[in-house]
Amino acid sequence: MIITLKPETPSEAADALLARILDKGLRALHMPGSDQVVLGALGEASAVAELALDTHPHVESVTPILAPYKLVSRELHPHDTVIPLGRSAIGGRDFCVIAGPCAVETPDQLRATARAVKKGGACALRAGAYKPRTSPYSFQGHGPDGLRLLSETGREFGLPVATEVMEIADVDLVAAHADIVQVGARNMQNFALLKALGRIGKPILLKRGFAARVEDLLLAAEYILAEGNDQVILCERGIRTFETATRNTLDLAAVPYIKSRTHLPVLVDPSHGTGLRDLVLPMSLAAAACGADGLLVEVHEDPARAWSDGEQSLYPAQFDTLMAKLGALLPVLGRRLA
Ligand code: PEP
Ligand code: MN
């Protein structure tokens, strides 16, 4: 419930209302605006109704939040969330390109790729140290050694780093090395993991599950915000459909839809979304055109020798072309490369 107080409501009256909301076992939100204070009461509908706030003398209006997700919804928070990242930001005017290999492989591979994406203008370096692989016999990632190598390489090239966490037990270690902690598609509804990530102070990159509806994604994000971490970045990375020509079906219509429903920034991953490197450039431009706040894109210094996802990884020269084209397109859209 969104409770708008009348202009000039004394702050003691707002505090008393917040205390009443809390007394009911509800979550209370205090959102002071320039001329009016807005409060929020989240929780059981019956407990909210018992407050009878619409008859309170200092209350101007009481509006239910219709969406099943609350903290994530634009109804509660009309303005875009902007998440600071290094010298740039995710959301707002900035369009942020997070690029790098699928996985941390070797020091030389990571450094060469980091150098290439830095030169191309990436705002952050991505690489997995924990890899969720379909087959247990595929490379699973270097774990803690990979995290150390990633954070050292990020520092060397002045790039913030994004990397995936798969288990609650690894959250603190991953958060200590990463600037952005990624939740992969396979873990989008690992609610215990989401809750644990809601209790850390790092931005979370939440990827859409390949069988998840947009509402499922937004409710998954709600788990993180409900625990106190409001730095969540959503990522459309393709869903499973009957189509087999591409690895997944990149659901770009979801991008403007999601942005109409939530204030959180939305990235697009055209690499996992298509599985084909030649489709990464056109789908990246389309992602920018439909309002995405940035990209998560796989680049490898030598894709033919990549330990995972080589066929969807860009060559450095292709990454340069992508960034040049984005640089030309973004101003038309009122945005700029972060
Ligand atoms: C990844 O980005 O490294 C990854 C494994 O992607 P997804 O979880 O979207 O499959
Ligand atoms: Mn990958």
Side-chain angles (χ1 to χ4, degrees):
M1 203 71 88
I2 300 167
I3 304 129
T4 307
L5 302 186
K6 290 182 180 156
E8 278 140 46
T9 297
S11 62
E12 300 76 42
D15 291 346
L17 276 166
L18 285 168
R20 280 186 57 202
I21 295 168
L22 285 170
D23 271 357
K24 284 276 174 211
L26 299 164
R27 173 188 284 262
L29 304 172
H30 186 220
M31 297 168 282
S34 49
D35 46 30
Q36 264 172 307
V37 172
V38 176
L39 307 180
L42 304 183
E44 280 289 320
S46 56
V48 179
E50 280 169 27
L51 289 168
L53 292 172
D54 37 3
T55 56
H56 190 282
H58 288 299
V59 171
E60 183 174 280
S61 65
V62 178
T63 319
I65 304 171
L66 298 175
Y69 38 86
K70 309 294 176 192
L71 298 167
V72 156
S73 77
R74 263 209 201 271
E75 293 166 78
L76 185 69
H77 185 303
H79 305 295
D80 286 346
T81 286
V82 178
I83 298 178
L85 178 70
R87 283 191 294 275
S88 51
I90 302 188
R93 269 201 76 199
D94 286 343
F95 186 89
C96 180
V97 180
I98 304 174
C102 181
V104 176
E105 298 170 7
T106 66
D108 287 348
Q109 166 257 8
L110 192 62
R111 292 182 75 243
T113 310
R115 183 178 296 112
V117 301
K118 174 78 182 185
K119 178 175 146 276
C123 71
L125 176 66
R126 62 143 291 149
Y130 296 91
K131 293 306 303 175
R133 304 306 299 281
T134 301
S135 163
Y137 306 116
S138 303
F139 173 55
Q140 303 285 309
H142 289 308
D145 290 343
L147 287 178
R148 274 189 288 277
L149 187 53
L150 180 62
S151 56
E152 278 165 26
T153 308
R155 270 199 302 280
E156 180 180 344
F157 290 95
L159 288 167
V161 298
T163 197
E164 177 163 352
V165 67
M166 289 169 54
E167 291 187 37
I168 295 179
D170 299 327
V171 165
D172 290 340
L173 185 66
V174 173
H177 285 90
D179 300 285
I180 298 178
V181 178
Q182 178 173 322
V183 179
R186 292 155 190 81
N187 266 318
M188 188 206 83
Q189 285 188 315
N190 181 339
F191 300 121
L193 180 63
L194 300 178
K195 286 183 186 175
L197 293 171
R199 296 190 284 268
I200 66 169
K202 285 278 165 88
I204 309 299
L205 175 58
L206 178 64
K207 300 190 81 176
R208 181 178 179 182
F210 34 63
R213 300 169 309 150
V214 164
E215 187 172 303
D216 302 327
L217 172 64
L218 293 169
L219 283 166
E222 185 82 9
Y223 270 89
I224 302 172
L225 272 80
E227 290 295 321
N229 185 353
D230 54 8
Q231 299 191 84
V232 175
I233 305 147
L234 304 172
C235 182
E236 163 56 37
R237 49 76 74 209
I239 49 174
R240 285 254 165 97
T241 66
F242 53 80
E243 180 57 75
T244 52
T246 48
R247 180 175 178 183
N248 291 289
T249 299
L250 189 63
D251 182 11
L252 285 186
V255 175
Y257 182 85
I258 293 171
K259 288 191 64 82
S260 73
R261 294 296 187 275
T262 180
H263 51 91
L264 298 173
V266 181
L267 303 187
V268 167
D269 173 352
S271 308
H272 294 88
T274 65
L276 300 167
R277 88 166 58 83
D278 287 348
L279 299 190
V280 170
L281 170 66
M283 297 320 285
S284 296
L285 300 180
C290 73
D293 296 295
L295 302 171
L296 182 69
V297 59
E298 287 184 341
V299 180
H300 196 286
E301 46 114 16
D302 185 0
R305 292 175 42 187
W307 296 7
S308 59
D309 286 350
E311 57 296 332
Q312 67 192 34
S313 298
L314 295 182
Y315 287 88
Q318 288 179 306
F319 183 66
D320 290 343
T321 305
L322 167 62
M323 296 303 278
K325 289 203 187 274
L326 282 172
L329 173 64
L330 287 168
V332 178
L333 304 167
R335 308 195 74 154
R336 60 179 176 218
L337 269 175

